[in-house]
């Protein structure tokens, strides 16, 4: 059964509060997407396996720790996930990055796929799919299905804001995927927008509306 972890850290709550304000500028909004993604990633990587590594400090030899195995791969869902990936790369600069292009048809709310490019060794890596908004769950569920169809299994999902409807959909479709959420909101409106939410994440990041 998937774990659903909602962040209660004051820094995350504070920053998401600013993102929700309609007066927040495009630049400030974009910076906050990266910062909050980095903070959520800190929590989402808490259980990564470690291995011992022998090193030399300036004084002695000792055993230090390093992240075991083939390390990580961040997979942003385009467009809005891109800035989350940028923030996470500040924390994990050696992670590889795959891209999945999906947008929601505004009438049917069904995801439409237009791009998928992944690192060649993605199957060996721990995958972090990132998208600021988990609304109906259609986009994130489809993205994770695309990854699974390519033989990828170790998948986590990170978002800034989720609606309960989206969380339920993702838990049902992908019970093996842990979900890390910055803030869990009340519900969707009749156009599939999260309430209270922050509006259209892609448009606010890129200033397209
Ligand atoms: C937004 C958001 C998610 C999706 C969430 O993207 O970034 O990908 O909607 O909605 P869902 O859970 O109901 O599928 P959008 O389709 O607006 O594309 P964009 O990032 O290119 O703006
Ligand atoms: N996509 C967004 O960007 N915002 C929402 O509230 C729902 C889907």
């Amino acid at each position: 059964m998937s774990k659903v972890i909602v962040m209660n850290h004051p820094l995350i709550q504070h920053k998401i509060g600013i993102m929700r304000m309609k007066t927040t500028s495009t630049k400030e909004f974009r910076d906050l997407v990266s910062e909050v993604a980095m903070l959520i990633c800190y929590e989402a990587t808490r259980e990564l396996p470690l291995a011992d590594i022998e090193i030399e400090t300036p004084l002695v030899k000792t055993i230090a720790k390093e992240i075991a195995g083939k390390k990580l791969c961040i997979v942003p869902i385009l467009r809005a996930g891109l800035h989350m990936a940028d923030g996470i790369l500040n924390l994990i600069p050696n992670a590889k990055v795959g891209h999945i292009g999906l947008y929601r048809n505004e009438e049917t709310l069904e995801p439409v796929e237009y791009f998928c490019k992944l690192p060649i060794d993605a199957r060996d890596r721990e995958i972090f799919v990132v998208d600021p908004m988990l609304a109906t769950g259609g986009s994130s569920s489809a993205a994770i299905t695309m990854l699974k169809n390519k033989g990828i299994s170790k998948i986590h999902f990170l978002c800034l804001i989720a609606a309960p409807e989206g969380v339920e959909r993702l838990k049902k479709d992908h019970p093996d995927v842990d979900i890390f959420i910055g803030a869990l909101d009340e519900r969707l409106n009749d156009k599939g927008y999260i309430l209270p939410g922050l509006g259209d994440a892609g448009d606010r990041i890129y200033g397209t509306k």
Side-chain angles (χ1 to χ4, degrees):
M1 194 41 129
S2 48
K3 275 192 285 179
V4 178
I5 296 116
V6 182
M7 304 294 139
N8 55 11
H9 196 288
L11 276 179
I12 295 178
Q13 298 311 313
H14 177 86
K15 287 174 190 287
I16 288 179
I18 299 171
M19 294 178 72
R20 291 185 191 279
M21 295 174 194
K22 64 179 183 185
T23 48
T24 298
S25 71
T26 301
K27 182 198 178 300
E28 200 181 356
F29 188 89
R30 197 184 289 149
D31 292 346
L32 286 163
V33 169
S34 299
E35 287 170 23
V36 177
M38 191 162 58
L39 293 169
I40 296 174
C41 179
Y42 183 75
E43 184 62 35
T45 48
R46 180 179 287 281
E47 290 178 14
L48 283 182
L50 289 170
D52 288 344
I53 169 180
E54 195 179 295
I55 60 152
E56 267 184 87
T57 75
L59 303 176
V60 287
K61 283 191 175 168
T62 188
I63 303 295
K65 301 284 183 194
E66 69 171 9
I67 293 171
K70 269 267 178 98
K71 318 261 164 54
L72 310 180
C73 174
I74 307 160
V75 178
I77 301 177
L78 305 178
R79 299 173 294 168
L82 273 179
H83 268 275
M84 287 184 73
D86 282 352
I88 293 172
L89 284 170
N90 289 324
L91 206 59
I92 312 169
N94 290 328
K96 294 211 172 164
V97 182
H99 295 88
I100 290 183
L102 285 175
Y103 67 88
R104 239 177 26 154
N105 177 304
E106 287 188 1
E107 263 123 53
T108 64
L109 300 183
E110 288 301 315
V112 182
E113 300 171 14
Y114 61 89
F115 190 72
C116 181
K117 184 92 179 170
L118 302 171
I120 197 136
D121 59 356
R123 252 185 260 179
D124 304 325
R125 291 175 178 264
E126 197 101 17
I127 305 283
F128 290 80
V129 178
V130 299
D131 190 325
M133 309 305 276
L134 175 58
T136 64
S139 304
S140 46
S141 181
I144 293 168
T145 300
M146 283 165 81
L147 296 174
K148 288 183 173 174
N149 287 343
K150 292 181 184 298
I152 293 169
S153 59
K154 291 175 281 181
I155 305 173
H156 313 262
F157 179 73
L158 278 60
C159 64
L160 306 187
I161 299 199
E165 295 90 331
V167 176
E168 284 314 306
R169 163 89 186 264
L170 213 49
K171 278 167 63 180
K172 180 167 145 292
D173 291 356
H174 300 290
D176 53 323
V177 172
D178 289 341
I179 308 167
F180 296 86
I181 299 170
L184 183 58
D185 276 12
E186 286 165 26
R187 64 184 173 89
L188 296 177
N189 71 9
D190 58 4
K191 293 200 162 63
Y193 277 85
I194 301 174
L195 295 178
L198 47 71
D200 187 304
D203 285 340
R204 294 200 62 186
I205 291 170
Y206 297 107
T208 39
K209 237 177 219 170

PDB file of all heavy atoms in Angstrom, residues 94-125:
ATOM      1  N   ASN A  94      23.913  15.315  -9.024  1.00  0.00           N
ATOM      2  CA  ASN A  94      24.290  14.207  -9.903  1.00  0.00           C
ATOM      3  C   ASN A  94      23.114  13.374 -10.395  1.00  0.00           C
ATOM      4  O   ASN A  94      23.319  12.399 -11.120  1.00  0.00           O
ATOM      5  CB  ASN A  94      25.284  13.285  -9.199  1.00  0.00           C
ATOM      6  CG  ASN A  94      26.619  13.969  -9.027  1.00  0.00           C
ATOM      7  OD1 ASN A  94      27.011  14.788  -9.861  1.00  0.00           O
ATOM      8  ND2 ASN A  94      27.307  13.686  -7.932  1.00  0.00           N
ATOM      9  N   ALA A  95      21.915  13.740  -9.983  1.00  0.00           N
ATOM     10  CA  ALA A  95      20.752  12.966 -10.445  1.00  0.00           C
ATOM     11  C   ALA A  95      20.622  13.123 -11.959  1.00  0.00           C
ATOM     12  O   ALA A  95      20.977  14.154 -12.527  1.00  0.00           O
ATOM     13  CB  ALA A  95      19.490  13.483  -9.766  1.00  0.00           C
ATOM     14  N   LYS A  96      20.110  12.068 -12.603  1.00  0.00           N
ATOM     15  CA  LYS A  96      19.782  12.200 -14.017  1.00  0.00           C
ATOM     16  C   LYS A  96      18.340  12.701 -14.136  1.00  0.00           C
ATOM     17  O   LYS A  96      17.576  12.652 -13.167  1.00  0.00           O
ATOM     18  CB  LYS A  96      19.955  10.868 -14.722  1.00  0.00           C
ATOM     19  CG  LYS A  96      21.424  10.460 -14.731  1.00  0.00           C
ATOM     20  CD  LYS A  96      21.762   9.661 -15.935  1.00  0.00           C
ATOM     21  CE  LYS A  96      23.273   9.457 -15.986  1.00  0.00           C
ATOM     22  NZ  LYS A  96      23.633   8.390 -16.898  1.00  0.00           N
ATOM     23  N   VAL A  97      17.993  13.175 -15.309  1.00  0.00           N
ATOM     24  CA  VAL A  97      16.661  13.757 -15.489  1.00  0.00           C
ATOM     25  C   VAL A  97      15.996  13.157 -16.731  1.00  0.00           C
ATOM     26  O   VAL A  97      16.601  13.133 -17.808  1.00  0.00           O
ATOM     27  CB  VAL A  97      16.751  15.298 -15.637  1.00  0.00           C
ATOM     28  CG1 VAL A  97      15.347  15.896 -15.770  1.00  0.00           C
ATOM     29  CG2 VAL A  97      17.474  15.924 -14.448  1.00  0.00           C
ATOM     30  N   GLY A  98      14.776  12.652 -16.543  1.00  0.00           N
ATOM     31  CA  GLY A  98      13.953  12.230 -17.677  1.00  0.00           C
ATOM     32  C   GLY A  98      12.820  13.236 -17.826  1.00  0.00           C
ATOM     33  O   GLY A  98      12.547  13.999 -16.902  1.00  0.00           O
ATOM     34  N   HIS A  99      12.166  13.260 -18.970  1.00  0.00           N
ATOM     35  CA  HIS A  99      11.056  14.201 -19.161  1.00  0.00           C
ATOM     36  C   HIS A  99       9.841  13.472 -19.708  1.00  0.00           C
ATOM     37  O   HIS A  99       9.966  12.653 -20.624  1.00  0.00           O
ATOM     38  CB  HIS A  99      11.439  15.304 -20.150  1.00  0.00           C
ATOM     39  CG  HIS A  99      12.541  16.188 -19.656  1.00  0.00           C
ATOM     40  ND1 HIS A  99      13.867  15.900 -19.856  1.00  0.00           N
ATOM     41  CD2 HIS A  99      12.515  17.330 -18.944  1.00  0.00           C
ATOM     42  CE1 HIS A  99      14.613  16.838 -19.294  1.00  0.00           C
ATOM     43  NE2 HIS A  99      13.816  17.720 -18.735  1.00  0.00           N
ATOM     44  N   ILE A 100       8.686  13.797 -19.129  1.00  0.00           N
ATOM     45  CA  ILE A 100       7.436  13.273 -19.675  1.00  0.00           C
ATOM     46  C   ILE A 100       6.554  14.469 -20.019  1.00  0.00           C
ATOM     47  O   ILE A 100       6.316  15.335 -19.171  1.00  0.00           O
ATOM     48  CB  ILE A 100       6.733  12.339 -18.673  1.00  0.00           C
ATOM     49  CG1 ILE A 100       7.533  11.035 -18.537  1.00  0.00           C
ATOM     50  CG2 ILE A 100       5.299  12.038 -19.121  1.00  0.00           C
ATOM     51  CD1 ILE A 100       6.907  10.001 -17.633  1.00  0.00           C
ATOM     52  N   GLY A 101       6.098  14.523 -21.266  1.00  0.00           N
ATOM     53  CA  GLY A 101       5.227  15.614 -21.692  1.00  0.00           C
ATOM     54  C   GLY A 101       3.778  15.161 -21.692  1.00  0.00           C
ATOM     55  O   GLY A 101       3.413  14.200 -22.372  1.00  0.00           O
ATOM     56  N   LEU A 102       2.973  15.840 -20.872  1.00  0.00           N
ATOM     57  CA  LEU A 102       1.540  15.544 -20.771  1.00  0.00           C
ATOM     58  C   LEU A 102       0.818  16.853 -20.564  1.00  0.00           C
ATOM     59  O   LEU A 102       1.331  17.723 -19.880  1.00  0.00           O
ATOM     60  CB  LEU A 102       1.252  14.720 -19.506  1.00  0.00           C
ATOM     61  CG  LEU A 102       1.583  13.259 -19.404  1.00  0.00           C
ATOM     62  CD1 LEU A 102       1.271  12.794 -17.985  1.00  0.00           C
ATOM     63  CD2 LEU A 102       0.752  12.465 -20.384  1.00  0.00           C
ATOM     64  N   TYR A 103      -0.343  17.009 -21.152  1.00  0.00           N
ATOM     65  CA  TYR A 103      -1.187  18.126 -20.716  1.00  0.00           C
ATOM     66  C   TYR A 103      -2.604  17.627 -20.575  1.00  0.00           C
ATOM     67  O   TYR A 103      -2.971  16.587 -21.133  1.00  0.00           O
ATOM     68  CB  TYR A 103      -1.096  19.324 -21.688  1.00  0.00           C
ATOM     69  CG  TYR A 103      -1.689  19.062 -23.043  1.00  0.00           C
ATOM     70  CD1 TYR A 103      -3.045  19.293 -23.285  1.00  0.00           C
ATOM     71  CD2 TYR A 103      -0.903  18.570 -24.077  1.00  0.00           C
ATOM     72  CE1 TYR A 103      -3.585  19.034 -24.536  1.00  0.00           C
ATOM     73  CE2 TYR A 103      -1.444  18.311 -25.329  1.00  0.00           C
ATOM     74  CZ  TYR A 103      -2.784  18.546 -25.544  1.00  0.00           C
ATOM     75  OH  TYR A 103      -3.326  18.272 -26.773  1.00  0.00           O
ATOM     76  N   ARG A 104      -3.355  18.374 -19.786  1.00  0.00           N
ATOM     77  CA  ARG A 104      -4.732  17.973 -19.533  1.00  0.00           C
ATOM     78  C   ARG A 104      -5.646  18.594 -20.568  1.00  0.00           C
ATOM     79  O   ARG A 104      -5.638  19.808 -20.742  1.00  0.00           O
ATOM     80  CB  ARG A 104      -5.132  18.541 -18.157  1.00  0.00           C
ATOM     81  CG  ARG A 104      -5.543  17.534 -17.200  1.00  0.00           C
ATOM     82  CD  ARG A 104      -5.861  18.044 -15.851  1.00  0.00           C
ATOM     83  NE  ARG A 104      -6.296  19.411 -15.631  1.00  0.00           N
ATOM     84  CZ  ARG A 104      -7.041  19.767 -14.601  1.00  0.00           C
ATOM     85  NH1 ARG A 104      -7.447  18.865 -13.736  1.00  0.00           N
ATOM     86  NH2 ARG A 104      -7.363  21.014 -14.418  1.00  0.00           N
ATOM     87  N   ASN A 105      -6.425  17.764 -21.258  1.00  0.00           N
ATOM     88  CA  ASN A 105      -7.437  18.323 -22.156  1.00  0.00           C
ATOM     89  C   ASN A 105      -8.429  19.094 -21.279  1.00  0.00           C
ATOM     90  O   ASN A 105      -8.996  18.530 -20.342  1.00  0.00           O
ATOM     91  CB  ASN A 105      -8.131  17.184 -22.903  1.00  0.00           C
ATOM     92  CG  ASN A 105      -9.251  17.699 -23.791  1.00  0.00           C
ATOM     93  OD1 ASN A 105     -10.170  18.376 -23.340  1.00  0.00           O
ATOM     94  ND2 ASN A 105      -9.168  17.367 -25.054  1.00  0.00           N
ATOM     95  N   GLU A 106      -8.621  20.385 -21.581  1.00  0.00           N
ATOM     96  CA  GLU A 106      -9.401  21.223 -20.658  1.00  0.00           C
ATOM     97  C   GLU A 106     -10.871  20.829 -20.576  1.00  0.00           C
ATOM     98  O   GLU A 106     -11.535  21.121 -19.591  1.00  0.00           O
ATOM     99  CB  GLU A 106      -9.238  22.701 -21.006  1.00  0.00           C
ATOM    100  CG  GLU A 106      -7.840  23.161 -20.603  1.00  0.00           C
ATOM    101  CD  GLU A 106      -7.613  24.650 -20.726  1.00  0.00           C
ATOM    102  OE1 GLU A 106      -8.547  25.373 -21.106  1.00  0.00           O
ATOM    103  OE2 GLU A 106      -6.471  25.066 -20.439  1.00  0.00           O
ATOM    104  N   GLU A 107     -11.390  20.146 -21.606  1.00  0.00           N
ATOM    105  CA  GLU A 107     -12.793  19.722 -21.539  1.00  0.00           C
ATOM    106  C   GLU A 107     -12.956  18.365 -20.862  1.00  0.00           C
ATOM    107  O   GLU A 107     -13.721  18.207 -19.918  1.00  0.00           O
ATOM    108  CB  GLU A 107     -13.412  19.663 -22.929  1.00  0.00           C
ATOM    109  CG  GLU A 107     -14.184  20.923 -23.266  1.00  0.00           C
ATOM    110  CD  GLU A 107     -13.666  21.577 -24.525  1.00  0.00           C
ATOM    111  OE1 GLU A 107     -13.586  20.878 -25.546  1.00  0.00           O
ATOM    112  OE2 GLU A 107     -13.337  22.783 -24.470  1.00  0.00           O
ATOM    113  N   THR A 108     -12.187  17.380 -21.325  1.00  0.00           N
ATOM    114  CA  THR A 108     -12.375  16.025 -20.779  1.00  0.00           C
ATOM    115  C   THR A 108     -11.580  15.823 -19.491  1.00  0.00           C
ATOM    116  O   THR A 108     -11.833  14.888 -18.741  1.00  0.00           O
ATOM    117  CB  THR A 108     -11.873  14.968 -21.785  1.00  0.00           C
ATOM    118  OG1 THR A 108     -10.460  15.151 -21.950  1.00  0.00           O
ATOM    119  CG2 THR A 108     -12.558  15.111 -23.122  1.00  0.00           C
ATOM    120  N   LEU A 109     -10.587  16.688 -19.234  1.00  0.00           N
ATOM    121  CA  LEU A 109      -9.627  16.570 -18.112  1.00  0.00           C
ATOM    122  C   LEU A 109      -8.739  15.334 -18.249  1.00  0.00           C
ATOM    123  O   LEU A 109      -7.994  14.997 -17.340  1.00  0.00           O
ATOM    124  CB  LEU A 109     -10.335  16.576 -16.744  1.00  0.00           C
ATOM    125  CG  LEU A 109     -11.153  17.819 -16.403  1.00  0.00           C
ATOM    126  CD1 LEU A 109     -11.727  17.722 -14.986  1.00  0.00           C
ATOM    127  CD2 LEU A 109     -10.329  19.099 -16.529  1.00  0.00           C
ATOM    128  N   GLU A 110      -8.817  14.658 -19.398  1.00  0.00           N
ATOM    129  CA  GLU A 110      -7.965  13.473 -19.622  1.00  0.00           C
ATOM    130  C   GLU A 110      -6.561  13.916 -20.058  1.00  0.00           C
ATOM    131  O   GLU A 110      -6.419  14.879 -20.810  1.00  0.00           O
ATOM    132  CB  GLU A 110      -8.560  12.587 -20.728  1.00  0.00           C
ATOM    133  CG  GLU A 110      -9.817  11.835 -20.307  1.00  0.00           C
ATOM    134  CD  GLU A 110      -9.573  10.925 -19.112  1.00  0.00           C
ATOM    135  OE1 GLU A 110      -8.554  10.215 -19.106  1.00  0.00           O
ATOM    136  OE2 GLU A 110     -10.401  10.937 -18.185  1.00  0.00           O
ATOM    137  N   PRO A 111      -5.505  13.225 -19.596  1.00  0.00           N
ATOM    138  CA  PRO A 111      -4.150  13.596 -20.008  1.00  0.00           C
ATOM    139  C   PRO A 111      -3.864  13.230 -21.462  1.00  0.00           C
ATOM    140  O   PRO A 111      -4.310  12.190 -21.942  1.00  0.00           O
ATOM    141  CB  PRO A 111      -3.266  12.773 -19.065  1.00  0.00           C
ATOM    142  CG  PRO A 111      -4.101  11.632 -18.633  1.00  0.00           C
ATOM    143  CD  PRO A 111      -5.532  12.086 -18.678  1.00  0.00           C
ATOM    144  N   VAL A 112      -3.131  14.107 -22.143  1.00  0.00           N
ATOM    145  CA  VAL A 112      -2.711  13.852 -23.528  1.00  0.00           C
ATOM    146  C   VAL A 112      -1.184  13.781 -23.522  1.00  0.00           C
ATOM    147  O   VAL A 112      -0.518  14.724 -23.097  1.00  0.00           O
ATOM    148  CB  VAL A 112      -3.184  15.000 -24.450  1.00  0.00           C
ATOM    149  CG1 VAL A 112      -2.780  14.715 -25.900  1.00  0.00           C
ATOM    150  CG2 VAL A 112      -4.683  15.210 -24.334  1.00  0.00           C
ATOM    151  N   GLU A 113      -0.639  12.663 -23.985  1.00  0.00           N
ATOM    152  CA  GLU A 113       0.823  12.473 -23.965  1.00  0.00           C
ATOM    153  C   GLU A 113       1.451  13.080 -25.208  1.00  0.00           C
ATOM    154  O   GLU A 113       0.926  12.913 -26.308  1.00  0.00           O
ATOM    155  CB  GLU A 113       1.155  10.979 -23.966  1.00  0.00           C
ATOM    156  CG  GLU A 113       0.605  10.239 -22.779  1.00  0.00           C
ATOM    157  CD  GLU A 113       0.762   8.727 -22.941  1.00  0.00           C
ATOM    158  OE1 GLU A 113       1.518   8.283 -23.835  1.00  0.00           O
ATOM    159  OE2 GLU A 113       0.115   8.011 -22.173  1.00  0.00           O
ATOM    160  N   TYR A 114       2.595  13.778 -25.052  1.00  0.00           N
ATOM    161  CA  TYR A 114       3.285  14.272 -26.249  1.00  0.00           C
ATOM    162  C   TYR A 114       4.788  14.070 -26.225  1.00  0.00           C
ATOM    163  O   TYR A 114       5.464  14.344 -27.202  1.00  0.00           O
ATOM    164  CB  TYR A 114       2.942  15.744 -26.533  1.00  0.00           C
ATOM    165  CG  TYR A 114       3.341  16.720 -25.439  1.00  0.00           C
ATOM    166  CD1 TYR A 114       4.595  17.317 -25.430  1.00  0.00           C
ATOM    167  CD2 TYR A 114       2.451  17.051 -24.424  1.00  0.00           C
ATOM    168  CE1 TYR A 114       4.948  18.217 -24.443  1.00  0.00           C
ATOM    169  CE2 TYR A 114       2.798  17.939 -23.428  1.00  0.00           C
ATOM    170  CZ  TYR A 114       4.056  18.534 -23.441  1.00  0.00           C
ATOM    171  OH  TYR A 114       4.405  19.409 -22.452  1.00  0.00           O
ATOM    172  N   PHE A 115       5.353  13.561 -25.122  1.00  0.00           N
ATOM    173  CA  PHE A 115       6.818  13.414 -25.093  1.00  0.00           C
ATOM    174  C   PHE A 115       7.228  12.441 -23.977  1.00  0.00           C
ATOM    175  O   PHE A 115       6.616  12.423 -22.917  1.00  0.00           O
ATOM    176  CB  PHE A 115       7.458  14.789 -24.812  1.00  0.00           C
ATOM    177  CG  PHE A 115       8.944  14.817 -24.995  1.00  0.00           C
ATOM    178  CD1 PHE A 115       9.507  14.765 -26.263  1.00  0.00           C
ATOM    179  CD2 PHE A 115       9.805  14.888 -23.903  1.00  0.00           C
ATOM    180  CE1 PHE A 115      10.875  14.793 -26.439  1.00  0.00           C
ATOM    181  CE2 PHE A 115      11.178  14.922 -24.064  1.00  0.00           C
ATOM    182  CZ  PHE A 115      11.716  14.875 -25.338  1.00  0.00           C
ATOM    183  N   CYS A 116       8.268  11.657 -24.229  1.00  0.00           N
ATOM    184  CA  CYS A 116       8.850  10.832 -23.163  1.00  0.00           C
ATOM    185  C   CYS A 116      10.303  10.538 -23.518  1.00  0.00           C
ATOM    186  O   CYS A 116      10.582   9.907 -24.543  1.00  0.00           O
ATOM    187  CB  CYS A 116       8.080   9.525 -22.998  1.00  0.00           C
ATOM    188  SG  CYS A 116       8.759   8.505 -21.658  1.00  0.00           S
ATOM    189  N   LYS A 117      11.224  11.037 -22.713  1.00  0.00           N
ATOM    190  CA  LYS A 117      12.652  10.784 -22.942  1.00  0.00           C
ATOM    191  C   LYS A 117      13.292  10.519 -21.574  1.00  0.00           C
ATOM    192  O   LYS A 117      13.259  11.376 -20.691  1.00  0.00           O
ATOM    193  CB  LYS A 117      13.275  12.026 -23.603  1.00  0.00           C
ATOM    194  CG  LYS A 117      14.712  11.871 -23.982  1.00  0.00           C
ATOM    195  CD  LYS A 117      14.826  11.376 -25.405  1.00  0.00           C
ATOM    196  CE  LYS A 117      16.285  11.244 -25.793  1.00  0.00           C
ATOM    197  NZ  LYS A 117      16.439  10.560 -27.062  1.00  0.00           N
ATOM    198  N   LEU A 118      13.859   9.326 -21.442  1.00  0.00           N
ATOM    199  CA  LEU A 118      14.386   8.918 -20.131  1.00  0.00           C
ATOM    200  C   LEU A 118      15.846   8.529 -20.251  1.00  0.00           C
ATOM    201  O   LEU A 118      16.295   8.100 -21.326  1.00  0.00           O
ATOM    202  CB  LEU A 118      13.598   7.702 -19.621  1.00  0.00           C
ATOM    203  CG  LEU A 118      12.092   7.897 -19.468  1.00  0.00           C
ATOM    204  CD1 LEU A 118      11.427   6.575 -19.169  1.00  0.00           C
ATOM    205  CD2 LEU A 118      11.793   8.912 -18.374  1.00  0.00           C
ATOM    206  N   PRO A 119      16.608   8.638 -19.147  1.00  0.00           N
ATOM    207  CA  PRO A 119      17.991   8.140 -19.165  1.00  0.00           C
ATOM    208  C   PRO A 119      18.012   6.653 -19.497  1.00  0.00           C
ATOM    209  O   PRO A 119      17.102   5.915 -19.122  1.00  0.00           O
ATOM    210  CB  PRO A 119      18.476   8.378 -17.738  1.00  0.00           C
ATOM    211  CG  PRO A 119      17.553   9.369 -17.160  1.00  0.00           C
ATOM    212  CD  PRO A 119      16.238   9.215 -17.857  1.00  0.00           C
ATOM    213  N   ILE A 120      19.065   6.223 -20.150  1.00  0.00           N
ATOM    214  CA  ILE A 120      19.148   4.854 -20.639  1.00  0.00           C
ATOM    215  C   ILE A 120      19.103   3.826 -19.500  1.00  0.00           C
ATOM    216  O   ILE A 120      18.563   2.730 -19.649  1.00  0.00           O
ATOM    217  CB  ILE A 120      20.405   4.697 -21.519  1.00  0.00           C
ATOM    218  CG1 ILE A 120      20.315   3.455 -22.367  1.00  0.00           C
ATOM    219  CG2 ILE A 120      21.687   4.718 -20.742  1.00  0.00           C
ATOM    220  CD1 ILE A 120      20.765   3.722 -23.780  1.00  0.00           C
ATOM    221  N   ASP A 121      19.649   4.229 -18.333  1.00  0.00           N
ATOM    222  CA  ASP A 121      19.685   3.303 -17.194  1.00  0.00           C
ATOM    223  C   ASP A 121      18.581   3.602 -16.173  1.00  0.00           C
ATOM    224  O   ASP A 121      18.706   3.263 -14.997  1.00  0.00           O
ATOM    225  CB  ASP A 121      21.063   3.344 -16.523  1.00  0.00           C
ATOM    226  CG  ASP A 121      21.395   4.742 -16.019  1.00  0.00           C
ATOM    227  OD1 ASP A 121      20.598   5.676 -16.263  1.00  0.00           O
ATOM    228  OD2 ASP A 121      22.440   4.893 -15.365  1.00  0.00           O
ATOM    229  N   ALA A 122      17.491   4.225 -16.634  1.00  0.00           N
ATOM    230  CA  ALA A 122      16.421   4.630 -15.699  1.00  0.00           C
ATOM    231  C   ALA A 122      15.891   3.448 -14.893  1.00  0.00           C
ATOM    232  O   ALA A 122      15.519   3.597 -13.727  1.00  0.00           O
ATOM    233  CB  ALA A 122      15.293   5.302 -16.470  1.00  0.00           C
ATOM    234  N   ARG A 123      15.883   2.269 -15.487  1.00  0.00           N
ATOM    235  CA  ARG A 123      15.352   1.082 -14.812  1.00  0.00           C
ATOM    236  C   ARG A 123      16.125   0.734 -13.544  1.00  0.00           C
ATOM    237  O   ARG A 123      15.596   0.118 -12.635  1.00  0.00           O
ATOM    238  CB  ARG A 123      15.427  -0.105 -15.756  1.00  0.00           C
ATOM    239  CG  ARG A 123      14.074  -0.499 -16.257  1.00  0.00           C
ATOM    240  CD  ARG A 123      14.172  -1.722 -17.080  1.00  0.00           C
ATOM    241  NE  ARG A 123      14.160  -1.328 -18.485  1.00  0.00           N
ATOM    242  CZ  ARG A 123      14.252  -2.183 -19.477  1.00  0.00           C
ATOM    243  NH1 ARG A 123      14.406  -3.452 -19.251  1.00  0.00           N
ATOM    244  NH2 ARG A 123      14.206  -1.758 -20.713  1.00  0.00           N
ATOM    245  N   ASP A 124      17.406   1.120 -13.504  1.00  0.00           N
ATOM    246  CA  ASP A 124      18.234   0.792 -12.341  1.00  0.00           C
ATOM    247  C   ASP A 124      18.162   1.874 -11.267  1.00  0.00           C
ATOM    248  O   ASP A 124      18.823   1.772 -10.236  1.00  0.00           O
ATOM    249  CB  ASP A 124      19.707   0.652 -12.767  1.00  0.00           C
ATOM    250  CG  ASP A 124      19.860  -0.374 -13.860  1.00  0.00           C
ATOM    251  OD1 ASP A 124      19.117  -1.362 -13.831  1.00  0.00           O
ATOM    252  OD2 ASP A 124      20.715  -0.167 -14.751  1.00  0.00           O
ATOM    253  N   ARG A 125      17.476   2.949 -11.547  1.00  0.00           N
ATOM    254  CA  ARG A 125      17.496   4.091 -10.644  1.00  0.00           C
ATOM    255  C   ARG A 125      16.216   4.218  -9.833  1.00  0.00           C
ATOM    256  O   ARG A 125      15.170   3.699 -10.217  1.00  0.00           O
ATOM    257  CB  ARG A 125      17.704   5.393 -11.439  1.00  0.00           C
ATOM    258  CG  ARG A 125      19.086   5.460 -12.013  1.00  0.00           C
ATOM    259  CD  ARG A 125      19.306   6.657 -12.888  1.00  0.00           C
ATOM    260  NE  ARG A 125      20.688   6.621 -13.347  1.00  0.00           N
ATOM    261  CZ  ARG A 125      21.689   7.274 -12.770  1.00  0.00           C
ATOM    262  NH1 ARG A 125      21.466   8.076 -11.764  1.00  0.00           N
ATOM    263  NH2 ARG A 125      22.923   7.144 -13.217  1.00  0.00           N
TER     264      ARG A 125
END
